[in-house]
Amino acid sequence: MKQLSDTLFNAVVRSCAIGTLILVSGLCVTLVIHAMPVFRHSGLSFLFTSTWDPLRQQFGALPFLVGTVITAVLGVLISLPFSLSIAFFLGEYFPSGKLSIFFQSATDLLAGIPSVIYGFWGLFVVAPFMQKIEIRLGIMPYGVGIATASIILAIMIVPYTASIAREIIKLVPSDLKEAAYALGATRWEVVRHVVIPYAHSGILAGILLALGRAIGETMAVTMVIGNRNEFPKSIFDPANTMASVIANEFAEASDDIYLSALIAVALLLFLFTTVMNMFGRFVIKKLTVRQES
Amino acid sequence: MKRLTWMFFVMLACMLSSILGYGAESLTGAGATFPYPLYDKWFNIYHHVTGVKINYQAIGSGGGIRQLLSKVVDFGGTDAFMSDEELQKASGEIFHIPTCLGAVTVTYNIPGNPELRLTGRLIADIFMGKITKWSDPKIAGLNKGVKLPDMNIVAVHRSDGSGTTFIFSDYLSKVSPEWKEKVGRGKSLNWPTGLGAKGNAGVAGMVKQIKGSIGYVELIYAKQNNMPVALIKNKAGNFVKPSLESVSAAADVDLPADTRVSITNTDSPNGYPISSFTWIIFYKEQSYNNRSKARAEALARLLWWMVHEGQRYNEDLLYARLPSKAVEKTEAIIKSMIYKGQPLVTW
C-alpha cells in the first residue's frame, strides 16, 4: 500500500514538472510559428525600424522595445532606494514586534492592489502633478509619459524587492553579526561589511524579480504612458511598451500579418524576460560561488 | 465518499442535460463591443418572449469576424463592414445587416467649454498636428464670438484598435485628401501626433485631465458623461450637432443591396457627418457544420426581430434607429438566407 502511494505521488509530481516544461516550450513554439509571417514579410527590419503602421503593413517594434526597457529600468532605479531602505529597516533594525509586522504587511499589501487601480491613481493623481512639473520646465504638459509610467511602476514593484531582501537580511546568521560587534564595529559597519556581503545575491534576486514584473506590467502602464508608437526623445515624452501594444491592439487585429506582428512582439517580450531571468541566475550563481570560496 | 461520488454524477447529469436542452434553442454570437449594451437588452427581452437563449460575447469586431470565419459562432457583430478581401477569405457567402446606428463625437477641454463649430478638414489638420493652437485663425474664423484660449492643442486618440477609430478616420479620409494619403482609414493607425488612451473611458478621462485637449468618443459616451461636443459641418454645409435624430437622418440615403456602405460625410442635409451603421454578419447558406434547420430558422427569426420589434428599444439606450429604407434592404437580405439550397424564410 505504501509503495503504491509512493509511486503514485512520484508519478504525479514528475508529470506536473514535465507538464510545465512542455507548456513553456509549447508556448515558445506557438509564438515562433505564428510570428514567422511578419519576419518573412519585413525581415529583420521588424526589430530595427520604428514605424508601426498596421494600415500600410509596416511593422517596426523598436519603439516598444525601447519603451519597455526604459520604463522598467527607470522604475527599478526609482524604487531601489525605497525598497532597500524598507528591507534593511524591517530586516535588520526593526525585525520583530507588532509594529514591525504591521509595517511588513503594509508593504506586502502594495503587491496585492490590482494594477488597474494603480493606473487610475496614476492618471488622476500622478499625471496632474507631472503636468505641473512639465509646465514649470516649459515642455508640452501631457502629464502622461515615460516618467509617469516609471513612477507608477516603481511603486508597484517596491514590495517585491522589499520582501525578498527583508527575508534574506533576516537570514544573516547572528553569530557573524555578533562577532563583528565584538570587534567594535558600529551598526553601519555591520550592515556594510557583514549583512550586505552575505545577502547581496538574494537582494539581487529580489531586484530581478521586480524588473521582470516591471517589464511585463500592462494595464497600469497602458493607462499612463500615452501610447504613442514613436521613438521617445525625452523621459517626459509619451511612448509605448511591448505588453501595452499587445493588450491594446490584439482584439481588433483581423489582418493576418498584423496579427502575426503582434505575436512577434509577444515573442520578443517572452525572449526578453527569459534572457533577463537567465542573466539574473548567472549573476546570482557567480556571486554565491565567490562567497563560498 | 460514496455520497460525494453520487453528488458528482448528479451534477454532471444536470450540466449535460442543460447543455443538450439548450442545443436547439440557443444561439451564439461574438463581436463588436459598441452595440453590446443594446444587444444585451435585446437578447434578454428576446429570451423572455421566445425562450431562445442568445449568448453574445463582446470581444471586438475583429474577433467577431475571425470567429465567424472559423464558424464557431452563429453570427458575428462588427462596426466596420468586412472588406472584399476579407469576404474572399470566407468559405461561404457572408451577409451583412445593419442593426442600429452610432456616431463619433469630437469632445474637448478648453476653459468654459463653449460650443464649438468645426469642419472635417480642420479636425484632420488638428489630429495631424498641423494646427497646434486653439487660437489658430482657422478655428477662430468658424467660431466668431467665442473666446478661444492661446493654448497648445493636445490630440487624444484611441490606443486600442477600435471601430470608433475606423469611423472617425473613414470620415477624415473622405474630407481630407492629405489625411487619406498620410494616415488613412483603419481600426489602428500610425498617428502623427498626440496621445493614446484605451477605450472610450480612457479618451474621456484623458481629455478631462489635460487642459487644451481634444478627442473623439462615441455619442453614447459623450451623452452619458455630459461632455462638450463640437458641431460639425456636413456635406450640405450645415453645422450639425450630434444627436439621435441627426444620426438617424444621416442613414436616410440610398443604400446598396448588401448594406455594406459607409455613411460618413453623408449627403443627407440634416445628417451628422460622423455616423455609422453597426452590422451583424452571418452566412447565407446556413447548413454549414451540420447545423440543424431549427437552429438556422431561430437565427433568421432573431435577425428579423432585431430590425423590427427590437428597434423600439434603441433610443432608450441612446442608439439611433434604422431608417425605413435600411429596414427594407435588411428584409430582403434575411429573406434570401438559404438552408441546403432551399429558402429558409417561409413566413
Side-chain angles (χ1 to χ4, degrees):
Chain A
M1 198 60 200
K2 192 167 184 202
Q3 259 180 341
L4 178 74
S5 61
D6 234 23
T7 5
L8 207 69
F9 183 67
N10 196 327
V12 169
V13 176
R14 194 175 289 234
S15 56
C16 283
I18 295 172
T20 317
L21 205 66
I22 293 174
L23 211 65
V24 174
S25 26
L27 187 72
C28 189
V29 170
T30 319
L31 286 177
V32 169
I33 292 172
H34 289 282
M36 276 330 277
V38 76
F39 283 112
R40 242 178 264 135
H41 174 265
S42 35
L44 280 181
S45 69
F46 179 77
L47 296 177
F48 300 111
T49 57
S50 52
T51 307
W52 182 265
D53 189 344
L55 265 188
R56 293 173 184 80
Q57 302 204 326
Q58 290 180 346
F59 300 106
L62 192 61
F64 312 133
L65 192 66
V66 171
T68 306
V69 173
I70 295 179
T71 46
V73 170
L74 213 57
V76 169
L77 288 183
I78 297 171
S79 79
L80 271 189
F82 302 100
S83 53
L84 291 187
S85 309
I86 292 169
F88 279 112
F89 180 64
L90 294 177
E92 175 62 26
Y93 287 79
F94 194 34
S96 58
K98 270 186 188 157
L99 204 59
S100 172
I101 290 171
F102 171 74
F103 277 127
Q104 286 180 26
S105 38
T107 30
D108 289 346
L109 202 68
L110 277 180
I113 298 173
S115 57
V116 65
I117 292 175
Y118 279 107
F120 264 113
W121 183 73
L123 193 58
F124 290 111
V125 180
V126 182
F129 180 71
M130 291 303 285
Q131 263 177 339
K132 280 181 195 140
I133 294 177
E134 286 166 351
I135 289 171
R136 281 269 168 84
L137 292 174
I139 49 181
M140 196 71 177
Y142 288 127
V144 293
I146 293 177
T148 314
S150 302
I151 291 170
I152 294 295
L153 276 178
I155 298 167
M156 292 180 77
I157 60 182
V158 158
Y160 292 86
T161 318
S163 14
I164 291 182
R166 181 187 75 212
E167 293 307 313
I168 298 287
I169 289 166
K170 273 189 188 167
L171 286 179
V172 176
S174 41
D175 15 352
L176 281 185
K177 287 190 275 182
E178 277 157 17
Y181 284 127
L183 290 171
T186 60
R187 192 131 205 198
W188 163 249
E189 283 166 340
V190 170
V191 169
R192 174 70 191 80
H193 296 289
V194 178
V195 176
I196 292 182
Y198 191 91
H200 64 334
S201 66
I203 294 173
L204 201 69
I207 294 171
L208 284 167
L209 185 78
L211 187 64
R213 163 100 172 135
I215 289 169
E217 175 50 42
T218 312
M219 197 60 211
V221 172
T222 294
M223 291 171 80
V224 295
I225 198 163
N227 298 297
R228 190 191 283 181
N229 303 350
E230 250 173 44
F231 216 86
K233 291 179 194 72
S234 87
I235 60 160
F236 294 104
D237 270 0
N240 214 341
T241 68
M242 293 192 271
S244 159
V245 75
I246 297 169
N248 268 317
E249 302 190 4
F250 195 76
E252 292 288 344
S254 46
D255 174 36
D256 285 345
I257 301 255
Y258 185 18
L259 199 63
S260 161
L262 288 172
I263 292 171
V265 173
L267 178 66
L268 217 57
L269 186 59
F270 181 84
L271 292 178
F272 195 66
T273 26
T274 316
V275 168
M276 283 307 300
N277 235 315
M278 270 155 54
F279 175 71
R281 272 165 192 270
F282 175 74
V283 169
I284 290 165
K285 216 171 168 186
K286 271 265 151 139
L287 289 174
T288 326
V289 169
R290 197 180 346 142
Q291 203 171 64
E292 275 163 7
S293 60
Chain B
M1 194 61 197
K2 226 175 188 174
R3 273 224 335 246
L4 267 175
T5 323
W6 267 110
M7 266 165 70
F8 174 73
F9 275 114
V10 169
M11 272 164 67
L12 199 71
C14 288
M15 275 159 67
L16 276 177
S17 69
S18 60
I19 290 168
L20 293 175
Y22 275 131
E25 296 146 345
S26 83
L27 295 166
T28 55
T33 45
F34 157 68
Y36 178 67
L38 178 64
Y39 288 0
D40 191 44
K41 170 142 192 180
W42 275 354
F43 297 156
N44 205 345
I45 292 168
Y46 195 71
H47 179 53
H48 278 291
V49 176
T50 63
V52 177
K53 199 169 159 60
I54 296 132
N55 174 16
Y56 182 81
Q57 287 172 0
I59 57 170
S61 301
I65 291 172
R66 271 205 300 277
Q67 295 221 342
L68 186 75
L69 288 178
S70 55
K71 299 186 171 171
V72 290
V73 289
D74 294 296
F75 62 91
T78 180
D79 292 336
F81 57 82
M82 290 171 72
S83 62
D84 292 338
E85 205 175 287
E86 282 175 317
L87 286 174
Q88 266 165 17
K89 268 194 281 180
S91 54
E93 196 180 333
I94 290 178
F95 278 160
H96 287 65
I97 59 163
T99 53
C100 63
L101 287 140
V104 178
T105 58
V106 174
T107 181
Y108 42 85
N109 178 359
I110 54 174
N113 281 333
E115 199 170 68
L116 289 184
R117 291 162 171 250
L118 297 172
T119 64
R121 278 199 182 213
L122 210 52
I123 298 170
D125 285 350
I126 290 172
F127 278 87
M128 277 193 291
K130 285 174 72 188
I131 295 180
T132 54
K133 289 265 182 198
W134 280 106
S135 50
D136 192 284
K138 280 185 186 162
I139 304 178
L142 285 172
N143 296 281
K144 299 229 165 65
V146 176
K147 204 171 157 266
L148 290 161
D150 183 33
M151 283 173 121
N152 283 327
I153 302 180
V154 179
V156 183
H157 57 80
R158 290 281 289 270
S159 62
D160 48 334
S162 94
T164 313
T165 301
F166 182 89
I167 297 162
F168 186 65
S169 58
D170 179 53
Y171 170 63
L172 295 184
S173 296
K174 282 184 187 172
V175 293
S176 160
E178 195 184 349
W179 178 278
K180 190 175 182 181
E181 190 203 324
K182 285 192 179 158
V183 188
R185 173 183 88 167
K187 289 172 189 164
S188 301
L189 302 167
N190 184 20
W191 294 93
T193 184
L195 297 173
K198 197 166 158 54
N200 280 298
V203 172
M206 200 85 96
V207 169
K208 277 184 189 163
Q209 280 293 307
I210 302 175
K211 286 266 187 309
S213 60
I214 185 167
Y216 60 92
V217 292
E218 279 159 14
L219 171 63
I220 304 170
Y221 206 85
K223 282 219 165 196
Q224 282 171 346
N225 293 284
N226 286 320
M227 301 170 73
V229 291
L231 275 64
I232 295 170
K233 193 178 184 179
N234 68 10
K235 216 174 185 177
N238 300 320
F239 283 93
V240 182
K241 193 178 176 144
S243 69
L244 293 177
E245 297 75 36
S246 64
V247 173
S248 212
D252 202 14
V253 288
D254 287 326
L255 304 172
D258 64 358
T259 74
R260 288 194 305 141
V261 66
S262 149
I263 53 164
T264 55
N265 200 24
T266 176
D267 290 324
S268 160
N270 300 317
Y272 178 72
I274 326 181
S275 309
S276 173
F277 287 121
T278 179
W279 290 268
I280 290 274
I281 47 177
F282 49 93
Y283 285 99
K284 177 183 184 183
E285 171 57 75
Q286 284 289 310
S287 62
Y288 61 91
N289 280 3
N290 290 324
R291 289 164 90 241
S292 68
K293 192 168 184 193
R295 198 179 175 96
E297 271 175 0
L299 177 64
R301 281 184 195 281
L302 169 72
L303 297 174
W304 191 268
W305 185 88
M306 282 162 83
V307 295
H308 292 97
E309 286 90 335
Q311 293 293 313
R312 79 177 104 116
Y313 303 103
N314 287 20
E315 274 156 12
D316 284 347
L317 290 173
L318 298 171
Y319 291 86
R321 275 177 191 239
L322 293 177
S324 53
K325 276 182 202 166
V327 175
E328 274 167 38
K329 294 274 194 282
T330 309
E331 285 174 355
I333 293 171
I334 296 174
K335 279 179 181 161
S336 61
M337 289 168 77
I338 52 174
Y339 186 85
K340 288 184 178 160
Q342 299 298 312
L344 186 63
V345 178
T346 45
W347 67 84

